[in-house]
Amino acid sequence: MIFGRVKSLDAILATAEKKSLKRSLGAFQLTMLGIGAVIGTGIFVLTATAAQKAGPGMMISFIVAGTVCALAALCYSELASMVPVAGSAYTYSYAVMGELLAWMVGWALILEYALGASAVAVGWSGHIVGFLDSVGVHLPHALTVGPKIEWGILKGGEVGGIVNLPAVIITALVTWLLVVGTKESATVNAVLVAIKVTALTLFVIITVPMIFGHTPNFQPFVPRGWGNPLSSEGVGVLGAAASIFFAYVGFDAVSTAAEETKNPQRNVPIGLIASLAICTVFYLLVAGGVIGSFGAQPLLDPATGKYFVEGSPELYGSAACHAAHAPLVCSKEALAYVLREVSSPWTGWLVGLAATIALPSVVLLMMYGQTRIFFVMARDGLLPQKLATVHPKFRTPWVVTIVTGIAVAICAAFLPVGTLADYSNSGTLFAFAAVSLGVLILRKRDPGRARPFRTPAIWVIAPASIIGCVVLFASLNIASKLVFLVWAAVGLVFYFLYGYRKSHVGRGLVDVPEHEAYEGTEPPVPGTH
């Protein structure tokens, strides 16, 4: 049952062959693609969250998260090179492990993409509010944060908050762009990548030299310990790694480019490892600059003597967060805030402007990925066919796009960025572990099948990837784990009530060829994360 209803891999590959692409990318191009895809989101919006969880030890967290991501990326690349079609991990799982697990992976990817888009929208909101403040335009506080929420283990928002209106507005704008089918050009993507990298480079140049005069800022290095996967708090170095894993998501731009790569067996691993290594070094320099120039110690509640929960109403409502020079963990635009404090207003203004310009494209790309997953699942009969309706004028899957936009806007309106990122990571880690398991299963089941890229040392890399994903998942806080389990349970109920009966594979229907399913649609072309 669990491995039943496998979608024909040969049929999927036959579709891919009809639209095979010219192999033109080398190791350098793949490395640059990976850097552009990865750098941007987490480093701008989650540094403060990581500081509250791990303090200076977040530097180790970046290494841990990058290592797990690299292991998963190598497994991801083998299946991506074999099944180079839309649907990401969902399609790979359907071809290898059957419909039920494919459904669960696709359901988990909703957390990755939709809540990931919400997290970036909230991060953008923090930057646009900070940027406007720096130029003398002050938005009402109540319209820039969600209300104080205390629903059991779920806490967020701030006292006096009503709705995060900037996050809702940017989500609505992106939804409209996706519906009308506006395409991002390669030139625009290149410019946005350049803006992000230039901003981070400016930050590193200004702050890293300050490390040598502020070495006490690194002590204590791990104020909240190394983390315990069995704990419900999700703090320490491992807890921070589980959160900032979000900063590395996007490497699949390299994995899915395997079909366009010259000598993929050599160039794909070089591109993946090199891009992730460079991004990790970049992140370490940024984290080091933050700590050395300004400090990144977590904030204690003086009333209880315990650490505040990151992103909680109590943290943002504390006296320390309302002081003239508030700690890093209080900031919603960490890098721009640090530069304004340790350098000059104009440098912080530039970094804030860079994030304000670049992050909306990330919201667009993550929502694009979500609509694509929904579209493929609906086309397979696992979701209502209405979701796959193509707009008669714009030729885009407008129903699923609007549904996604509404869900993303609601989450962005009321929840803090760290909470959203953790929820998103829970789905991502499950999907990555499933892909790593799928590679092992296919190696045993079909060892002779052509593989443009073969994961090296597969019986070491894949199990290590699975273990790493499980450890990071366990290191999330209890709320994130419960949200994932509840979401998975809802998904199973929906599958057995609807998808199991309506599935095209289960009903013996001929699959709609990939090129026909997307014929006439004009979704934006993803280029960077």
Side-chain angles (χ1 to χ4, degrees):
M1 168 61 189
I2 192 170
F3 293 113
R5 292 189 175 183
V6 175
K7 194 174 183 181
S8 170
L9 183 58
D10 289 326
I12 296 175
L13 291 176
T15 296
E17 289 174 3
K18 295 178 182 178
K19 56 172 188 173
S20 59
L21 302 174
K22 180 181 179 181
R23 296 189 181 275
S24 58
L25 299 178
F28 177 78
Q29 289 91 340
L30 282 177
T31 301
M32 293 300 101
L33 176 64
I35 293 172
V38 171
I39 284 183
T41 308
I43 194 65
F44 280 109
V45 302
L46 290 179
T47 307
T49 298
Q52 182 61 21
K53 287 191 172 188
M58 67 178 175
M59 296 184 70
I60 305 299
S61 302
F62 278 113
I63 297 175
V64 172
T67 300
V68 174
C69 195
L71 294 171
L74 288 171
C75 298
Y76 207 103
S77 296
E78 179 167 320
L79 286 183
S81 68
M82 296 175 68
V83 194
V85 296
S88 185
Y90 162 76
T91 301
Y92 308 155
S93 301
Y94 215 152
V96 178
M97 294 181 290
E99 184 174 276
L100 178 59
L101 285 178
W103 165 264
M104 293 307 299
V105 168
W107 196 246
L109 288 176
I110 297 174
L111 291 180
E112 174 183 348
Y113 287 110
L115 294 188
S118 297
V120 182
V122 174
W124 180 85
S125 174
H127 279 89
I128 190 65
V129 171
F131 175 76
L132 291 175
D133 281 343
S134 69
V135 297
V137 179
H138 306 292
L139 299 179
H141 176 73
L143 299 181
T144 62
V145 294
K148 183 178 179 180
I149 297 173
E150 291 186 345
W151 300 333
I153 57 175
L154 178 61
K155 296 184 178 182
E158 297 182 35
V159 175
I162 297 176
V163 64
N164 194 330
L165 189 58
V168 173
I169 291 174
I170 195 63
T171 301
L173 177 60
V174 166
T175 302
W176 174 74
L177 289 173
L178 287 170
V179 169
V180 300
T182 301
K183 292 188 177 182
E184 283 197 307
S185 69
T187 302
V188 172
N189 283 323
V191 170
L192 293 176
V193 170
I195 289 173
K196 292 187 293 185
V197 173
T198 300
L200 293 182
T201 302
L202 174 65
F203 184 89
V204 168
I205 291 172
I206 293 174
T207 61
V208 168
M210 298 181 184
I211 292 176
F212 303 101
H214 301 85
T215 52
N217 284 353
F218 289 85
Q219 299 301 326
F221 188 66
V222 285
R224 305 192 69 177
W226 293 95
N228 179 5
L230 301 179
S231 169
S232 63
E233 295 181 318
V235 297
V237 170
L238 284 178
S243 291
I244 60 180
F245 189 83
F246 188 81
Y248 289 94
V249 174
F251 72 84
D252 51 331
V254 176
S255 301
T256 54
E259 190 188 8
E260 302 171 68
T261 301
K262 295 181 294 185
N263 190 6
Q265 187 63 31
R266 170 186 177 274
N267 290 331
V268 168
I270 291 176
L272 282 167
I273 301 302
S275 60
L276 287 172
I278 292 170
C279 289
T280 300
V281 171
F282 220 143
Y283 288 172
L284 287 174
L285 289 172
V286 170
V290 168
I291 298 163
S293 65
F294 187 73
Q297 292 295 336
L299 190 60
L300 282 165
D301 183 349
T304 64
K306 298 180 179 179
Y307 289 103
F308 286 111
V309 176
E310 65 287 346
S312 66
E314 292 78 13
L315 171 66
Y316 291 130
S318 66
C321 285
H322 287 84
H325 301 284
L328 171 74
V329 298
C330 301
S331 176
K332 298 170 186 174
E333 34 145 15
L335 304 190
Y337 175 70
V338 167
L339 283 185
R340 285 199 295 268
E341 291 290 315
V342 306
S343 179
S344 64
W346 73 267
T347 56
W349 182 86
L350 285 175
V351 170
L353 178 61
T356 301
I357 293 172
L359 290 183
S361 70
V362 182
V363 180
L364 185 147
L365 291 166
M366 298 194 84
M367 286 184 61
Y368 165 86
Q370 177 59 73
T371 59
R372 210 53 156 179
I373 298 294
F374 266 147
F375 191 56
V376 174
M377 293 174 75
R379 187 199 65 204
D380 289 338
L382 298 180
L383 290 172
Q385 291 291 317
K386 181 68 175 176
L387 291 175
T389 302
V390 174
H391 195 282
K393 178 180 178 181
F394 302 121
R395 311 305 301 164
T396 57
W398 68 281
V399 174
V400 70
T401 299
I402 291 177
V403 169
T404 299
I406 292 172
V408 170
I410 291 173
C411 293
F414 302 114
L415 295 176
V417 63
T419 298
L420 290 166
D422 282 354
Y423 293 172
S424 174
N425 287 344
S426 68
T428 305
L429 289 165
F430 175 81
F432 285 2
V435 167
S436 300
L437 176 62
V439 172
L440 289 177
I441 292 174
L442 198 57
R443 281 287 186 98
K444 291 291 291 184
R445 180 188 297 163
D446 197 355
R449 184 175 292 276
R451 290 170 169 81
F453 170 77
R454 295 176 66 89
T455 303
I458 185 64
W459 297 104
V460 175
I461 297 296
S465 171
I466 296 170
I467 292 171
C469 289
V470 169
V471 169
L472 289 186
F473 179 89
S475 298
L476 291 166
N477 58 40
I478 185 64
S480 301
K481 288 180 279 195
L482 286 178
V483 164
F484 176 82
L485 293 176
V486 171
W487 181 250
V490 171
L492 284 174
V493 171
F494 187 91
Y495 171 74
F496 285 110
L497 289 179
Y498 182 89
Y500 182 78
R501 295 184 298 107
K502 299 291 187 178
S503 162
H504 290 178
V505 172
R507 295 163 63 192
L509 300 179
V510 178
D511 291 336
V512 178
E514 186 80 13
H515 69 286
E516 291 181 15
Y518 291 101
E519 186 176 2
T521 63
E522 294 188 5
V525 179
T528 61
H529 177 268

